């Protein structure tokens, strides 16, 4: 029986190793992001976590995921502070 041809562009093995293709899981997860920057940071975080066992360097992928997650956390904290400050300014008028 011939070995199936690997499609590294449309369905790379490190994205298709489970029951669901990683891109489908990620698209579902980020669809409710309030803006494109937050969605992109969530996307990258998930991308590295979902394929960490299939690419060959799990520690590197986890560190990359953490880098994006840290940026996402910082952005959310900054947005929260900005919104809190805006509310205080509006109440003074």
């Amino acid at each position: 029986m011939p070995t199936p041809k690997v499609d590294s562009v449309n369905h790379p093995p490190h994205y298709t190793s489970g029951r669901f293709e990683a891109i489908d899981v990620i698209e579902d997860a980020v669809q409710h992001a309030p803006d494109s920057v937050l969605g992109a940071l969530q996307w990258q975080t998930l991308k590295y976590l979902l394929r960490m066992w299939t690419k060959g360097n799990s520690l590197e992928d986890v560190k990359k995921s953490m880098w994006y997650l840290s940026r996402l956390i910082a952005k959310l904290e900054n947005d929260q502070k900005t919104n809190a400050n805006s509310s205080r300014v509006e109440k003074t008028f």
Side-chain angles (χ1 to χ4, degrees):
M1 179 180 263
T3 333
K5 186 178 178 190
V6 174
D7 184 348
S8 296
V9 173
N10 297 302
H11 302 286
H14 58 273
Y15 282 115
T16 58
S17 63
R19 292 184 302 150
F20 305 102
E21 196 160 344
I23 193 157
D24 296 325
V25 173
I26 295 168
E27 285 176 351
D28 283 347
V30 303
Q31 68 180 320
H32 299 293
D35 68 45
S36 59
V37 172
L38 295 174
L41 292 169
Q42 180 187 8
W43 183 292
Q44 291 296 94
T45 300
L46 291 170
K47 177 180 80 172
Y48 284 108
L49 284 177
L50 288 172
R51 64 185 190 171
M52 66 180 277
W53 304 117
T54 58
K55 285 188 56 211
N57 192 337
S58 301
L59 179 59
E60 182 177 274
D61 276 356
V62 170
K63 286 180 177 182
K64 288 178 181 178
S65 179
M66 187 65 174
W67 189 87
Y68 284 105
L69 182 58
S70 295
R71 286 183 66 92
L72 177 58
I73 290 168
K75 176 83 171 122
L76 288 169
E77 288 174 342
N78 187 52
D79 289 353
Q80 191 174 42
K81 287 177 189 173
T82 301
N83 290 338
N85 289 337
S86 298
S87 296
R88 280 187 231 135
V89 171
E90 289 173 14
K91 289 178 184 177
T92 61
F93 291 107

